[in-house]
């Protein structure tokens, strides 16, 4: 740049030409800009100048570039952000009007705006006969606010909506949305006037307009440079036009393509037809158009420094790859130099985890070269977090400058967990998630607290107790109850508030805040995330009265999640490694590094899918001249092109996302199609990512077969464990020798075993308290179903079946009584000594037959064991119970077993309830002869215990898989590693 201060000079006729420049994509923007500014000015003049930048991130990037270039002390020019409505950033304070100008009214507070719009949306939807919940109104108000900002930025008067006559062309959905939107916009100005405020986007436009008029009258004494601004808003375009025309003003664009053929340039905004908003140059084309200047008036910025630059050939290749679709036919005629991507390699990995591993390896490798810098740029925040975690394996701390949503930070997850628990009436899962949260009871009180929570966890396993804090307390005993007495007081206020039904949002937020403090104390609000949470809660609580009149407490978790997702928590500057960085797309603008890794190049990620606008149909947006939904694809493509300008670039993608195959990004495919075989794959990086965690050798586990010494083998067994010992000895070993019993899930659905226990309890009480009176059984069963412990879904689904099956049992017992058979005992237990071990058993019911023998009965809620299983020596439980009865093992009950019956409550044909038996007096239907059943059971039992309990045979896993259906110990035995390999 011959003279950056004087600019290009006067044009023909003495009319000053605008001072417009561009820094190509293949050059490091921040370093090139700073080098040019410093070379053309002495330090005193530099300090009196002003640099206008797009946002606060750009201010940081240019500040860092000045530090790199200064080599010592330097007074910087004023770096002023124009602000970004999409990011919620206001115009820099340096641009506020001076005292003699009338300042615009203050901007409305963000949450005041959100709550008021939510109330208006809810009222209008209700008036139109389509009411929405409070949480949905808050979500819709966010979309409405963004759409309103777009109208304000584009300076489209909302009154123009009333002038549109597109109703016949719109569906009912869009007509309804447009009607609601129009009414809200009619009411919104009155709300602003009542508060004495204006929209932040409108205030920004006014400030920029006043600044333009002031500088047009009296330009600043020092230089003014507008750099890296891509916002094509009319107010911004007018200000840039003013700056470019000032004697000491200049505008520097980032990545404006001066070599793009005129035909392609003109096609971006044709006089007739549709603009190509998805092209990376479109927003710059629109900005020049609104500034009233042509691309031919822009010159290349000639200032240079020691920044990280690629060569110009790379820039030409990138421009060719991103040409408009109608002009990609030229790729076949391009010279080799115009399609060469020297310094750019691609890594294609199998999964997002592999992609993160490869990126972390590339970042780690960059540190091996002194002073080399590297950065990851990706819009995929999950990928960014994975990379940061992978880097920690080498002790490298690397922060994601784009931050993460407050909903994922510890204070945010605590608030969400508290709201979920209260909204669900403290259901066990949500309650335990809250009490186990890492912020609850920190410090020295943490370990005792966790001991109590573990007691509570054990106590709440199984079906859900009654709802509410009292229901939890009623289900606890012993030490768990003592801990609950300590923990419950902190939750009682929020429990009462949330149980009171719909109410103002402010009260709900206040009680959440108080409960959070009671659980966590002041550490909840510490650190960047804690401070963000404190500001969020304070602002929301203060502005909630302006929102919907009432909110159902059940909606509060979703409402909070919607708002917390929009709050970004960024790490403190300077914590991460000085030579590594992770950027989002916005943060990466104007940044550079020696190695740039562009990650997440899958369609829907980069570029992302356009966010839908539920308020304005695309046809309406086009008519109003508002930015199309696909405009962000163009800016994402421009960010991609800028990222490709580093000296060394790696682009990465994964062939799958979290659940399905992923499509390569259109940006990836364009590079691949244009470069052809010059699109170099980094196979070495892909291989290193695969090998870093690969095992040196595959050594599958052998089938476990532990063989403990005789003194460690159990000498007692129940009749229900015999089948497990014979079919899956390892499972018996794990339960009885290792004493590992599986825990029921927390908040479990009632299982078949639970239903069986419930039926057994009903029938036992029917015998003990009602003497098997037929009319007493159904009322007893119905009373059991009405208890609070029974899940409503189970009650609805099981009640008809149980009622019919219970009636069948009562009828069957009555019919047997008429034949001389009566109930002898129910739910009893006994033991005998046999084959050197103690055999114990519990019967469901014993009947005395008319001939004096005993009938052994087992209740089943499902299908009884098959005759085949009994013939093969399994499912001999009834026979063993008969053996105990015959040998006097049951108290007050003794006799010869003459019948063995399963009474199933399952459905057969068209009725619930039937009797099945594994035996037959004559051995018909290939069943066991009734008189031989106990003898057969005794012989089978003697063989089993002789092999594994009194013998030395190892406890082999899944010895007979067909009769080992239970999987509680499959993971312990590492079943999937060996099963099937020995066959």
């Amino acid at each position: 740049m011959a003279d950056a201060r004087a600019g290009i000079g006067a044009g023909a006729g003495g009319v000053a030409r605008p001072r417009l420049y561009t820094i190509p994509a293949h050059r490091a923007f921040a370093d090139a800009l700073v080098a040019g500014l410093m070379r053309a000015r002495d330090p005193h003049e530099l300090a009196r100048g002003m640099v206008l930048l797009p946002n606060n991130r750009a201010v940081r990037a240019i500040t860092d570039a000045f530090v790199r270039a200064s080599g010592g002390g330097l007074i910087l020019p004023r770096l002023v952000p124009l602000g970004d409505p999409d990011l919620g950033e206001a115009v820099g304070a340096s641009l506020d009007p001076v005292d003699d100008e009338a300042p615009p009214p203050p901007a409305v507070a963000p949450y005041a705006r959100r709550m008021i719009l939510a109330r208006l949306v809810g009222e209008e939807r209700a008036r139109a006969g389509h009411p929405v919940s409070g949480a949905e109104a808050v979500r819709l108000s966010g979309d409405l606010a963004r759409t309103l900002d777009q109208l304000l930025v584009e300076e489209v008067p909302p009154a123009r909506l009333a002038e549109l006559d597109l109703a016949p062309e719109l569906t009912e959905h869009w007509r309804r949305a447009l009607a609601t939107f129009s009414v809200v916009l009619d009411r919104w100005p009155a709300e602003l006037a009542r508060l004495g405020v204006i929209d932040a986007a409108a205030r920004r436009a006014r400030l920029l307009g006043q600044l333009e008029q002031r500088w047009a009258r009296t330009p600043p004494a020092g230089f003014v440079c507008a750099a890296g601004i891509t916002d094509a808003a009319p107010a911004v375009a007018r200000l840039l036009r003013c700056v470019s025309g000032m004697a000491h003003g200049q505008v520097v664009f980032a990545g404006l393509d001066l070599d793009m053929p005129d035909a392609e340039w003109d096609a971006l905004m044709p006089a007739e037809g549709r603009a190509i908003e998805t092209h990376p140059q479109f927003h710059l084309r629109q900005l020049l158009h609104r500034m009233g200047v042509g691309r031919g008036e822009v010159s290349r910025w000639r200032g240079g420094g020691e920044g990280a630059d690629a060569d110009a050939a790379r820039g030409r290749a990138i421009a060719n790859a991103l040409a408009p679709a109608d002009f990609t036919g030229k790729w076949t005629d391009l010279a080799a130099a115009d399609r060469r991507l020297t310094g750019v390699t691609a890594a294609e990995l199998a999964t997002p985890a592999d992609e993160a591993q490869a990126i972390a390896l590339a970042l780690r490798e960059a540190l091996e070269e002194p002073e080399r810098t590297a950065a990851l740029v990706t819009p995929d925040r999950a990928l960014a977090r994975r990379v940061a975690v992978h880097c920690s394996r080498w002790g490298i701390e690397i922060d994601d400058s784009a931050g993460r949503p407050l909903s994922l930070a510890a204070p945010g997850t605590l608030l969400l967990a508290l709201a979920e628990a209260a909204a669900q009436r403290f259901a066990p899962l949500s309650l335990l998630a809250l009490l186990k949260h890492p912020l609850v009871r920190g410090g020295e009180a943490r370990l005792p607290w966790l001991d109590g929570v573990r007691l509570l966890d054990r106590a709440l396993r199984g079906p859900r107790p009654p709802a509410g804090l009292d229901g939890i307390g009623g289900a606890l005993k012993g030490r768990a109850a003592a801990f609950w007495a300590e923990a419950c007081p902190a939750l009682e206020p929020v429990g009462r508030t949330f149980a009171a039904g719909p109410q103002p949002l402010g009260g709900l937020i206040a009680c959440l805040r108080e409960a959070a403090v009671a659980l966590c104390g002041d550490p909840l609000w510490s650190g960047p995330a804690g401070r963000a949470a404190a500001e969020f809660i304070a602002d929301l609580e203060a502005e909630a009265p302006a929102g919907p009149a009432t909110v159902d407490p059940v909606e509060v978790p979703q409402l909070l999640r919607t708002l917390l997702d929009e709050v970004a928590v960024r790490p403190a500057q300077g914590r991460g490694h000085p030579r590594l960085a992770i950027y989002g797309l916005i943060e990466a603008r104007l940044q550079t590094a020696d190695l740039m890794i562009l990650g997440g190049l899958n369609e829907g990620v980069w570029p992302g899918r356009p966010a839908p606008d539920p308020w304005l149909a695309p046809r309406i947006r086009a008519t109003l001249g508002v930015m199309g939904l696909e405009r962000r694809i163009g800016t994402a493509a421009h960010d991609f092109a800028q990222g490709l300008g580093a000296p060394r670039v790696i682009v990465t993608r994964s062939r799958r996302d979290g659940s399905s195959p992923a499509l390569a990004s259109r940006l990836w495919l364009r590079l691949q199609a244009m470069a052809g075989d010059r699109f170099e794959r980094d196979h070495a990086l892909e291989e290193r990512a695969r090998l870093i965690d690969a095992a040196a050798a595959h050594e599958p586990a052998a089938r476990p077969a532990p063989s403990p010494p005789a003194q460690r083998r159990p000498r007692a067994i129940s009749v229900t464990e015999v089948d497990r010992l014979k079919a899956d000895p390892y499972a018996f070993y794990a339960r009885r020798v290792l004493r590992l019993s599986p825990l029921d899930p927390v908040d479990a659905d009632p299982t078949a075993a639970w239903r069986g226990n419930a039926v057994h309890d009903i029938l036992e009480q029917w015998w003990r308290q009602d003497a098997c009176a037929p009319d007493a059984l159904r009322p007893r069963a119905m009373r059991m179903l009405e208890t609070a412990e029974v899940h409503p879904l189970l009650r609805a689904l099981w009640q008809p079946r149980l009622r019919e099956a219970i009636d069948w049992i009562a009828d069957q017992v009555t019919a047997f009584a008429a034949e001389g058979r009566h109930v002898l005992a129910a739910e009893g237990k006994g033991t005998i000594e046999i084959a050197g071990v103690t055999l114990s058993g519990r019967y469901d019911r014993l009947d005395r037959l008319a001939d004096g023998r005993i009938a052994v009965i087992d209740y089943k809620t499902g299908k009884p064991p098959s005759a085949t299983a009994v013939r093969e020596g399994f499912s001999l439980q009834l026979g063993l119970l008969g053996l105990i009865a015959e040998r006097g093992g049951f108290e007050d009950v003794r006799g010869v077993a003459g019948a063995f019956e399963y009474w199933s409550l399952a459905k057969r044909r068209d009725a619930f309830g039937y009797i099945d038996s594994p035996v037959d007096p004559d051995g018909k239907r290939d069943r066991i002869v009734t008189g031989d059943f106990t003898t057969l059971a005794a012989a089978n039992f003697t063989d089993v215990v002789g092999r594994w309990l009194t013998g030395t045979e190892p406890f082999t896993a899944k010895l007979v898989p067909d009769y080992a259906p239970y999987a509680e110990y499959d993971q312990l035995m590492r079943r999937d590693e060996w099963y099937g390999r020995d066959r």
Side-chain angles (χ1 to χ4, degrees):
M1 185 176 62
D3 187 352
R5 291 170 292 177
I8 300 173
V15 179
R17 295 176 58 188
R19 294 168 177 81
L20 304 171
Y21 306 93
T22 182
I23 298 176
H26 65 271
R27 297 183 59 197
F29 183 91
D31 291 312
L33 175 71
V34 167
L37 291 176
M38 292 181 64
R39 187 173 64 181
R41 294 171 176 83
D42 59 57
H44 298 288
E45 184 180 0
L46 187 68
R48 290 194 295 269
M50 176 186 297
V51 181
L52 301 180
L53 296 165
N55 49 49
N56 291 324
R57 283 93 162 159
V59 171
R60 180 179 299 179
I62 299 302
T63 301
D64 292 343
F66 270 113
V67 172
R68 288 193 297 269
S70 64
L74 179 69
I75 300 178
L76 301 183
R78 284 185 294 168
L79 306 179
V80 183
L82 293 187
D84 190 336
D86 288 342
L87 300 177
E89 292 184 356
V91 173
S94 298
L95 301 186
D96 277 339
V98 294
D99 295 338
D100 60 346
E101 295 187 52
V108 61
Y111 285 107
R113 186 188 200 214
R114 190 66 174 271
M115 291 295 106
I116 294 173
L117 289 176
R119 172 171 54 82
L120 297 180
V121 168
E123 292 173 354
E124 293 307 320
R125 282 292 180 92
R127 186 176 294 113
H130 303 283
V132 294
S133 66
E136 179 66 5
V138 169
R139 185 189 70 81
L140 289 172
S141 70
D143 295 324
L144 187 146
R146 283 185 285 273
T147 302
L148 176 58
D149 282 341
Q150 291 171 9
L151 293 178
L152 295 172
V153 167
E154 296 293 331
E155 299 182 0
V156 177
R160 285 192 57 191
L161 286 171
E163 302 171 1
L164 298 179
D165 187 19
L166 299 177
E169 304 176 27
L170 300 177
T171 63
E172 175 61 27
H173 160 71
W174 285 119
R175 287 199 295 270
R176 186 168 62 246
L178 180 60
T180 303
F181 187 71
S182 300
V183 173
V184 170
L185 289 190
D186 288 341
R187 298 179 59 186
W188 176 238
E191 296 286 346
L192 293 177
R194 178 177 60 83
L195 298 173
V197 295
I198 60 175
D199 288 292
R203 188 175 193 276
R204 172 178 179 260
R206 288 195 193 183
L207 284 176
L208 297 181
Q210 290 181 356
L211 182 65
E212 176 214 348
Q213 295 173 10
R214 186 166 70 247
W215 282 355
R217 295 192 305 268
T218 309
F223 78 92
V224 177
C225 177
I229 297 171
T230 58
D231 186 354
V236 174
R238 290 192 295 268
L239 177 62
L240 296 187
R241 183 67 178 88
C242 174
V243 170
S244 68
M246 294 190 306
H248 302 292
Q250 52 196 181
V251 175
V252 184
F253 299 106
L256 176 63
D257 190 353
L258 299 182
D259 297 322
M260 185 177 185
D262 290 340
E264 296 180 22
W265 179 260
D266 294 338
L268 300 180
M269 290 182 62
E272 296 181 359
R274 186 176 179 180
I276 308 177
E277 295 187 347
T278 58
H279 193 275
Q281 293 291 312
F282 175 80
H283 59 291
L284 295 173
R285 171 77 169 85
Q286 187 180 47
L287 178 57
L288 291 180
H289 174 73
R290 289 181 171 177
M291 289 175 62
V293 298
R295 184 173 55 143
E297 299 178 83
V298 181
S299 302
R300 284 183 174 81
W301 182 262
R302 299 186 183 278
E306 301 300 325
D309 293 343
D311 57 21
R314 170 98 60 82
R316 291 195 300 271
I318 296 170
N320 288 327
L322 300 179
D326 291 342
F327 298 90
T328 54
K330 67 180 181 180
W331 289 348
T332 58
D333 301 324
L334 288 176
D338 291 334
R339 62 169 62 192
R340 184 177 295 115
L341 291 170
T342 304
V344 178
T345 57
E348 189 174 31
L349 289 306
T351 66
D354 294 335
E355 182 182 8
Q357 183 72 270
I359 293 171
L361 283 170
L363 293 173
R364 176 65 182 86
E365 185 179 16
L367 295 181
E368 294 299 313
E369 184 177 334
E371 299 185 2
R372 191 183 187 199
T373 59
L376 165 64
V377 180
T378 179
D380 187 345
R381 302 327 321 144
L383 176 63
R385 289 192 293 272
R386 270 180 160 161
V387 171
V389 171
H390 278 303
C391 287
S392 66
R393 74 191 301 176
W394 299 297
I396 299 172
E397 185 174 359
I398 178 170
D399 293 324
D400 182 1
S401 64
R404 58 176 175 165
L406 182 54
S407 59
L408 297 180
T413 58
L414 184 282
L415 294 172
L416 288 174
L418 180 56
E420 287 282 2
Q424 295 181 22
R425 303 285 308 278
F426 299 99
L429 276 176
S430 59
L431 174 64
L432 291 172
L434 170 63
L435 298 181
K436 293 177 182 179
H437 193 280
L439 289 180
V440 175
R441 291 293 190 274
E444 296 180 356
R446 178 69 176 168
L447 289 180
W449 176 267
L450 288 180
D451 289 339
V453 175
R454 292 186 185 101
L455 294 172
L456 190 63
D457 185 305
R458 293 291 298 271
L460 292 179
R461 289 184 175 270
R464 177 183 296 190
L469 297 173
D470 293 338
I472 296 290
L476 302 178
K477 298 178 182 178
R479 295 170 60 196
F483 167 74
W484 183 242
E486 173 193 348
C488 187
L491 301 175
E492 285 178 347
V494 71
R496 287 194 305 269
T497 302
F498 270 64
Q503 55 194 286
L505 177 61
L508 294 170
I509 300 301
C511 74
L512 285 177
R513 171 178 49 78
E514 293 169 359
V517 172
L519 288 171
C520 307
D522 291 339
L524 173 63
W525 315 117
S526 63
R531 291 190 292 273
E535 294 174 2
F536 168 79
I537 287 293
D539 292 343
L540 182 58
E541 188 177 345
E543 305 298 348
T550 60
V551 173
D552 192 328
V554 175
E555 304 168 9
V556 172
Q558 184 56 49
L559 185 152
L560 281 180
R561 184 173 296 278
T562 298
L563 296 176
L564 288 171
D565 282 343
E566 299 172 3
V567 180
V569 179
R570 293 181 172 83
Q573 189 175 6
R575 289 180 51 198
H577 196 284
R579 292 197 281 139
L580 299 181
I582 298 178
Y583 299 123
L585 298 191
I586 295 176
E587 287 73 25
R589 293 171 189 169
L590 312 189
Q591 300 279 7
T592 192
D594 298 314
L595 169 65
M596 293 288 277
I597 304 173
L598 311 183
L601 266 298
N602 282 334
E603 195 67 15
V605 178
W606 191 348
R609 294 182 180 88
D613 181 358
W615 295 106
L616 295 183
R619 177 76 172 85
I620 297 177
R621 297 176 70 91
T623 302
L624 292 175
V626 179
M627 179 181 72
L629 297 178
E630 294 186 341
R631 181 81 62 89
R632 297 188 187 279
I633 295 178
T635 57
H638 187 262
D639 295 332
F640 179 70
Q642 292 293 105
L644 287 172
R648 173 88 169 86
V649 179
I650 303 175
V651 294
T652 70
R653 67 172 294 261
S654 59
R655 290 187 290 272
R656 293 184 62 85
D657 58 18
S659 59
S660 60
L663 296 175
S665 165
R666 66 189 72 182
L667 304 172
W668 174 289
L669 294 176
R670 278 175 167 266
L671 288 183
Q672 192 175 52
M674 188 276 300
D677 57 3
R678 295 173 179 81
F679 190 59
E680 183 182 351
R681 286 282 293 275
D682 195 336
H683 295 291
L685 179 60
E686 297 172 1
E687 185 68 8
R688 288 198 300 273
R690 186 185 66 82
L691 292 176
I692 187 171
D693 291 323
H698 180 60
E699 298 179 0
R703 185 181 218 171
S707 182
Q711 62 270 23
R712 295 293 305 276
R713 295 179 183 243
R715 287 295 188 269
I717 188 173
S718 69
V719 296
T720 57
E721 292 179 307
V722 176
D723 283 351
R724 186 188 294 267
L725 175 59
K726 186 175 182 180
D728 191 356
Y730 183 88
F732 178 87
Y733 165 82
R735 180 185 289 268
R736 293 296 307 279
V737 179
L738 300 182
R739 298 181 181 180
L740 299 175
S741 297
L743 297 176
D744 290 331
V746 176
D747 206 357
D749 291 332
T751 61
W754 183 91
R755 293 196 298 268
N757 291 335
V759 169
H760 289 166
D761 183 63
I762 292 169
L763 295 174
E764 179 183 4
Q765 299 305 319
W766 179 52
W767 177 73
R768 296 186 185 280
Q769 299 183 21
D770 304 323
C772 294
D775 296 338
L777 183 55
R778 178 189 277 198
R780 181 172 293 281
M782 294 304 103
R783 285 196 298 273
M784 184 278 293
L785 283 177
E786 293 303 322
T787 59
E789 290 84 357
V790 179
H791 194 280
L793 181 61
L794 176 65
R795 184 183 300 121
L797 296 178
W798 199 36
Q799 184 172 2
R801 167 181 170 175
L802 179 62
R803 183 169 54 241
E804 188 172 341
I806 285 292
D807 290 343
W808 170 80
I809 290 177
D811 294 343
Q812 201 69 39
V813 169
T814 302
F816 282 157
E819 300 173 0
R821 171 176 169 175
H822 62 274
V823 178
L824 182 62
E827 298 296 333
K829 58 184 179 180
T831 61
I832 60 172
E833 296 295 324
I834 179 174
V837 300
T838 300
L839 173 64
S840 63
R842 184 181 183 91
Y843 58 82
D844 292 343
R845 199 179 91 206
L846 297 178
D847 286 3
R848 179 72 72 183
L849 300 177
D851 60 5
R853 293 182 297 171
I854 294 174
V856 183
I857 297 168
D858 187 25
Y859 294 120
K860 294 290 184 183
T861 57
K863 186 178 179 181
S866 67
T868 302
V870 177
R871 283 197 310 272
E872 294 187 10
F874 296 93
S875 301
L876 299 179
Q877 178 181 348
L878 289 180
L880 292 175
L881 290 171
L883 181 65
I884 296 174
E886 290 180 347
R887 299 193 180 187
F890 296 128
E891 185 178 356
D892 300 330
V893 176
R894 185 165 187 166
V896 177
F900 303 90
E901 298 172 349
Y902 291 111
W903 286 40
S904 174
L905 276 63
K907 187 174 184 180
R908 175 182 282 184
R909 300 184 181 91
D910 296 327
F912 286 98
Y914 62 90
I915 298 176
D916 195 12
S917 177
V919 300
D920 183 82
D922 302 318
K924 297 177 181 178
R925 301 190 307 279
D926 202 23
R927 297 177 184 270
I928 298 171
V929 176
T930 303
D932 298 339
F933 194 30
T934 56
T935 303
L936 177 66
N940 179 79
F941 178 78
T942 301
D943 174 66
V944 169
V945 300
R947 294 168 62 186
W948 285 289
L949 300 188
T950 60
T952 59
E953 193 160 325
F955 292 90
T956 305
K958 297 289 183 184
L959 189 61
V960 187
D962 291 343
Y963 295 102
Y966 300 107
E968 298 101 320
Y969 301 101
D970 282 3
Q971 184 178 13
L972 181 65
M973 67 178 66
R974 299 169 69 173
R975 173 186 178 276
D976 292 345
E977 297 185 41
W978 55 262
Y979 186 72
R981 290 196 175 97
D982 55 351
R983 297 189 177 187

